[in-house]
């Protein structure tokens, strides 16, 4: 395992999902494995075309960044339909202690 890979597997220092903002979520969504095409000028409420595989990858990114383990579900797929939805979902999960690793 390389040093870069090892660092990517740990939560980012100071990364707190309770303080996640839309820019943090946009950084996660910028992963090229997540969405085939993501326009640069999409708004916080723009509907994302996230499928179940995309959701699983997003949850992997969230776990790596925040140490927050969430389970893929239809409810989560519906909630994570926009930057705002993902941001609010992360904050709520952190407040409620859902998915703590």
């Amino acid at each position: 395992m390389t040093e870069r890979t090892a660092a990517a597997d740990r939560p980012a220092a100071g990364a707190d999902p309770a303080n996640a903002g839309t820019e943090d979520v946009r950084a996660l969504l910028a992963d090229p494995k997540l969405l085939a095409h993501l326009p640069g000028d999409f708004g916080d409420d723009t509907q994302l075309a996230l499928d179940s595989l995309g959701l699983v990858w997003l949850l992997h990114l969230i776990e790596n960044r925040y140490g927050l383990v969430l389970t893929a579900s239809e409810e989560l797929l519906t909630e994570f339909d926009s930057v705002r939805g993902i941001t609010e979902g992360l904050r709520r999960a952190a407040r409620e202690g859902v998915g703590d690793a």
Side-chain angles (χ1 to χ4, degrees):
M1 182 181 302
T2 67
E3 187 64 32
R4 183 170 181 241
T5 302
D9 289 340
R10 294 188 302 267
D16 181 2
N19 296 321
T22 56
E23 291 306 313
D24 299 309
V25 170
R26 287 175 186 277
L28 292 172
L29 293 175
D31 186 300
K33 295 178 186 173
L34 190 57
L35 295 168
H37 173 71
L38 189 62
D41 60 347
F42 65 100
D44 291 349
D45 294 313
T46 299
Q47 194 79 14
L48 300 174
L50 196 62
D51 60 14
S52 58
L53 186 57
L55 176 64
V56 169
W57 187 252
L58 177 59
L59 296 180
H60 166 76
L61 296 174
I62 289 169
E63 181 177 354
N64 283 343
R65 171 113 175 113
Y66 298 107
L68 190 65
V69 180
L70 300 174
T71 302
S73 66
E74 285 296 322
E75 179 181 286
L76 203 56
L77 187 59
T78 300
E79 180 179 7
F80 281 16
D81 67 342
S82 66
V83 170
R84 187 179 317 278
I86 296 168
T87 303
E88 290 173 357
L90 285 175
R91 290 176 179 170
R92 189 187 72 257
R95 276 194 316 269
E96 296 173 359
V98 175
D100 289 333

